[in-house]
Amino acid sequence: MPAYGTLVEVAGQVNADVLAQDPAAAQALGSIERVTAERHGAIRVGTARELGQVGQVFAALGMRPVGFYDLREAGQPVPVVSTAFRPVDDDELAANPFRVFTSVLATDDRRFFDADLQARLEERLEARELFSPLLLTLSARAEEDGGLAPEDADALVRLATAAFALSPEPVDAAWYAELERVSGVAADIGGVGSTHVNHLTPRVLDIDALYARMTGRGVAMIDAIQGPPGGGAPVLLRQTSFRALSEPRAMRDPDGSVRAGSLRVRFGEVEARGCALTPAGRARYDAWMAAGGTPSEQDRLWRSLIPDDPDEQAAAGLTSVRWVPVADRPRDGAVPAADLARLLADGWVRAEPVVYEDFLPASAAGIFASNLDGTGERDASAGRSHRDAGWLADALGREVLEPADLYAATSAASAAEVARVLDLPPLEQPVAPSAPA
Ligand code: OOG
Ligand code: NI
């Protein structure tokens, strides 16, 4: 991927600097080993059938679909809906911090595709094969048996890697251009015969420093860092990217001749992860996103909604944390209160942040949009086609997990452990109103 080496090198330097300053603080949201290894990629497919096959391949690797993102509803609409495949258990996330943001084209959405274009697009998508029968068979067996014999595992990795690589096949130039008039994303998905990993994102501990250093190295980044502002204890996800650079790609013209051309389809992105928010905290983030305003107004509003201090965030019920009993707290005859915020204030427990492992729809749409030359033609008056988490689960033939449920389960289990250790009745999580008092 263009400039990927520079990005990984600069991310490594930034992480080393942050670690040297304060090793404990730097690793509050994951060990430096996890953060250094951590990546997310993204792929795009055309149909429910293809999405189901992707689900099978990732299931072989213990990666489950989490979340439903409708990017057609974003400020910069893109004709896809998405999920993310990732490990779910804490120990698996620590061992394999790898995710793939996966989007599927909404070919029946009339705002983007008229009936004639939809029919021609779907015919091409139905005729192509992204994943070989052998890859799908091996994947199903790996999922069922919890593993494969070494030579089969090697074959699975080889076939899967090839299936996600950028193809050297010549592109039908006229068809690609026709789709591109509707949407660059539609062309990227339906204008070629295969899918490909379009970016691979390292994780960084200080994204503002990374942005400045990449700019200093002459890489033109997008205008802004997506997500919440920096400053306080990090929450959710902050991301930034640089535009796809053009890469050589053979083009087939209508007369059948093949010529050298180029496409810009692979780009660079980097992310900083913070603490997951509770539903009340997330409602505040969404309200903040909707509010707009100048940068300083936005900053002021943010600080009024989400306090900078991590313990204040947790005690207010805004962040999802793991409650951990403080082992060496002297009892001094004191009796711990059956209330998590009080236990935190009185030093009976610590609140460890739970890493936000998912994505943000508006940020994702912004990342998509930053790599498109134009927004494409859209008929805003036409009807949208139906898509929701249930549609996604049907297409996958698998349960789609809800991020908020996973974070809530982690917090609840830790609270139960606190109650057990301190010999207290069941403890409720602090609950915040969705707007500040
Ligand atoms: C995916 C863009 C979204 C993210 O990190 O939010 C994304 C794509 O361009 O296919 O990767
Ligand atoms: Ni990404």
Side-chain angles (χ1 to χ4, degrees):
M1 256 170 244
Y4 179 71
T6 308
L7 181 64
V8 170
E9 185 190 322
V10 174
Q13 289 166 356
V14 168
N15 290 348
D17 290 352
V18 175
L19 186 70
Q21 261 168 36
D22 185 343
Q27 299 182 93
L29 289 144
S31 70
I32 191 65
E33 290 76 25
R34 174 188 155 164
V35 170
T36 305
E38 192 155 346
R39 295 286 185 276
H40 86 249
I43 58 169
R44 306 165 178 174
V45 298
T47 61
R49 178 182 66 95
E50 291 177 351
L51 185 66
Q53 295 173 342
V54 171
Q56 179 59 80
V57 172
F58 289 138
L61 306 171
M63 296 162 76
R64 320 234 348 236
V66 184
F68 168 78
Y69 306 95
D70 193 340
L71 303 189
R72 302 171 305 163
E73 306 306 320
Q76 299 152 306
V78 190
V80 301
V81 295
S82 312
T83 188
F85 291 92
R86 65 170 179 89
V88 171
D89 295 340
D90 286 347
D91 51 341
E92 290 191 24
L93 279 161
N96 169 30
F98 190 74
R99 323 170 176 72
V100 180
F101 190 88
T102 301
S103 303
V104 58
L105 196 59
T107 53
D108 56 349
D109 197 304
R110 281 283 169 272
R111 295 171 298 181
F112 298 91
F113 308 101
D114 66 31
D116 170 57
L117 185 57
Q118 178 193 354
R120 287 183 293 129
L121 178 56
E122 288 179 352
E123 193 185 323
R124 293 209 186 212
L125 292 171
E126 284 310 324
R128 75 182 186 179
E129 181 182 85
L130 299 184
F131 306 102
S132 67
L134 179 58
L135 174 57
L136 296 172
T137 305
L138 288 173
S139 299
R141 201 187 317 147
E143 181 185 12
E144 241 169 71
D145 299 351
L148 288 173
E151 58 279 17
D152 285 341
D154 287 346
L156 185 151
V157 170
R158 201 175 52 244
L159 292 168
T161 306
F164 293 121
L166 196 60
S167 161
E169 275 296 298
V171 174
D172 179 338
W175 172 235
Y176 196 95
E178 182 179 357
L179 286 177
E180 213 172 17
R181 278 194 291 280
V182 172
S183 151
V185 173
D188 182 51
I189 297 172
V192 294
S194 61
T195 185
H196 63 101
V197 173
N198 61 37
H199 65 286
L200 191 60
T201 297
R203 184 170 156 193
V204 74
L205 296 171
D206 182 346
I207 198 167
D208 299 292
L210 179 124
Y211 188 98
R213 283 201 209 175
M214 287 298 283
T215 308
R217 301 253 311 231
V219 178
M221 307 296 283
I222 62 171
D223 292 345
I225 294 173
Q226 315 263 335
V235 298
L236 290 177
L237 174 67
R238 303 181 73 211
Q239 301 174 298
T240 190
S241 61
F242 54 87
R243 267 171 77 83
L245 304 178
S246 91
E247 297 179 271
R249 186 71 180 260
M251 294 281 168
R252 180 175 289 112
D253 282 325
D255 65 5
S257 63
V258 174
R259 64 183 156 84
S262 68
L263 287 183
R264 295 188 311 106
V265 292
R266 299 197 292 183
F267 57 95
E269 184 196 47
V270 63
E271 68 186 16
R273 290 192 175 265
C275 187
L277 295 180
T278 60
R282 177 54 186 260
R284 291 194 188 186
Y285 175 72
D286 291 340
W288 177 78
M289 285 292 286
T294 65
S296 74
E297 284 166 349
Q298 284 185 316
D299 216 60
R300 213 169 323 119
L301 178 61
W302 178 258
R303 312 266 160 229
S304 75
L305 293 170
I306 306 280
D308 280 352
D309 181 72
D311 283 350
E312 264 182 67
Q313 293 172 350
L318 296 169
T319 48
S320 292
V321 296
R322 213 174 268 112
W323 305 98
V324 182
V326 175
D328 49 3
R329 186 204 192 279
R331 285 229 168 199
D332 306 331
V335 179
D339 177 292
L340 285 165
R342 283 278 309 281
L343 290 171
L344 181 65
D346 294 346
W348 293 100
V349 299
R350 282 180 290 119
E352 289 182 356
V354 174
V355 181
Y356 185 65
E357 305 283 359
D358 295 289
F359 291 87
L360 295 170
S363 299
I367 302 287
F368 267 102
S370 67
N371 279 292
L372 302 175
D373 282 325
T375 48
E377 292 163 9
R378 216 164 345 109
D379 177 359
S381 68
R384 63 192 291 274
S385 54
H386 169 78
R387 292 290 185 280
D388 59 15
W391 181 92
L392 201 67
D394 286 345
L396 283 161
R398 296 172 186 276
E399 184 188 0
V400 175
L401 300 168
E402 171 55 45
D405 294 346
L406 300 175
Y407 302 124
T410 301
S411 293
S414 71
E417 178 63 7
V418 167
R420 195 188 63 78
V421 170
L422 296 180
D423 197 19
L424 291 170
L427 297 165
E428 299 294 326
Q429 301 295 320
V431 178
S434 59

